[in-house]
Amino acid sequence: MTSNISRLEKRIVMFSVMIPLFYFLLPAARAMHIMEGFLPAAHAIAWGVLCIPFLALGVVKIRKIASEKRKALLILAMVGAYAFVLSALKIPSVTGSSSHPTGTGLGAILFGPSPMAVIGVIVLLFQAILLAHGGLTTLGANTFSMAIAGPFLSFGIYYVCKKLKVNKLAAVFLAASLGDLFTYCVTSFQLALAHPSEVGGIGASMVKFLGVFAVTQIPLAVIEGLLTVVVIMGLEAWAKPELREIGYLEGGEKA
C-alpha cells in the first residue's frame, strides 16, 4: 500500500511520539487537577450543580450515538481513553492544582462538546479514586473546567475555522491547544474565586494563578494540539467509515 504521509507529517508523528515518553520520565507530582478539600464546600457544591445540565445533555447525545451510530462507539471509547491518559500526565504547578494536557479537544471535534461532559466526569472520577489525581469534593469544579468549558471552546474554534475554510489539520491544532489553555483560564478563575488575594482580590489572584500556569501550560497546549493532529491523521487513514458516520468528514451536525 502506498503511503500518502508527507515528510512533514512523518516528522510531526515522530515528534509527538517522543513527547509522552518525556513526560513518563518526569518524577511523580503530588499536585492534582484541583485537589481534594482545596475548595470551600459552597464552591464545590455550586460547581457541581452547574455541571448537571451539561451532563444531562451529554447523556442524551451519547444514547443517540449508541442507538444510531454503532460504528462510532469504538472511536468514542478511544476518545475517553485518550482523555484519561493525557490528563493523567501531570507536572507540578500552582499549589492545589497541576499542569497537564486535557485530551478533551479531540472528542469535542469529533462528537461535539456535550458527550465530553459525561466522558470527562468519568475520567476525573476514576483518576480521583485510582490515582489520587483530583478529588471527589472538587469533582464538579474539575469537570466544569476540563470537561465542559474546554470542549465547548474547542468545538467553537473548530466550527468557526471550518466555516472560514481553514486547513482542517490547522483547525484541529488550534481547537485542541486553545481548548487546553481555556481549561486553565477557568481553573485559575475557580482558584481565585475560592482564594482571593488580600491585596487586589479575585482579579489579582487570578492574574497570579494564570502567570504560574502559563509557564508549563502553554508548551503543554502546543503538545496537545500536535498529538491531536496526529490522532486525527491516523483516524482519517484507517477509520474513514466511522468518521463519515459521525459527520466529521462530511460536516455533519454535532450537539
Side-chain angles (χ1 to χ4, degrees):
M1 181 180 293
T2 303
S3 174
N4 293 322
I5 301 178
S6 68
R7 181 178 297 178
L8 176 60
E9 289 172 336
K10 288 180 180 178
R11 289 178 180 175
I12 292 174
V13 171
M14 291 288 293
F15 175 75
S16 300
V17 167
M18 294 302 296
I19 294 303
L21 295 178
F22 170 76
Y23 282 103
F24 276 120
L25 294 176
L26 288 172
R30 293 186 181 274
M32 306 177 184
H33 295 282
I34 296 179
M35 68 181 184
E36 188 74 76
F38 200 72
L39 296 179
H43 288 241
I45 293 170
W47 288 113
V49 171
L50 194 58
C51 292
I52 292 174
F54 297 98
L55 291 171
L57 183 61
V59 168
V60 171
K61 180 62 184 294
I62 289 175
R63 289 182 65 181
K64 183 177 180 181
I65 293 171
S67 63
E68 299 178 4
K69 302 174 182 179
R70 304 287 295 182
K71 290 182 181 179
L73 289 179
L74 185 59
I75 295 181
L76 187 63
M78 183 212 71
V79 162
Y82 180 78
F84 182 89
V85 171
L86 283 196
S87 60
L89 300 176
K90 58 188 184 292
I91 59 177
S93 188
V94 183
T95 298
S97 188
S98 65
S99 287
H100 53 77
T102 65
T104 56
L106 174 65
I109 291 167
L110 294 177
F111 293 98
S114 55
M116 293 313 298
V118 177
I119 291 174
V121 75
I122 294 172
V123 165
L124 288 164
L125 184 61
F126 273 91
Q127 288 179 350
I129 295 173
L130 301 178
L131 305 179
H133 182 34
L136 297 179
T137 62
T138 56
L139 184 62
N142 289 328
T143 297
F144 188 85
S145 61
M146 192 183 96
I148 295 173
F152 268 88
L153 184 72
S154 291
F155 176 74
I157 290 172
Y158 181 75
Y159 181 83
V160 170
C161 287
K162 187 168 64 173
K163 290 295 183 182
L164 295 177
K165 301 189 184 304
V166 174
N167 175 273
K168 184 174 286 187
L169 293 182
V172 168
F173 173 80
L174 289 173
S177 56
L178 294 180
D180 177 291
L181 286 177
F182 188 60
T183 292
Y184 281 88
C185 291
V186 175
T187 299
S188 296
F189 174 72
Q190 291 171 327
L191 292 170
L193 195 63
H195 303 282
S197 173
E198 294 182 1
V199 180
I202 294 173
S205 183
M206 184 171 178
V207 169
K208 178 186 72 175
F209 285 127
L210 283 171
V212 177
F213 272 134
V215 175
T216 51
Q217 202 58 39
I218 290 176
L220 284 176
V222 173
I223 290 166
E224 179 170 348
L226 290 173
L227 285 172
T228 306
V229 167
V230 170
V231 172
I232 289 290
M233 286 164 51
L235 290 173
E236 287 183 348
W238 304 106
K240 286 184 178 179
E242 290 81 2
L243 293 181
R244 289 193 182 96
E245 187 176 45
I246 63 178
Y248 172 77
L249 291 181
E250 297 178 350
E253 290 295 323
K254 306 181 188 74

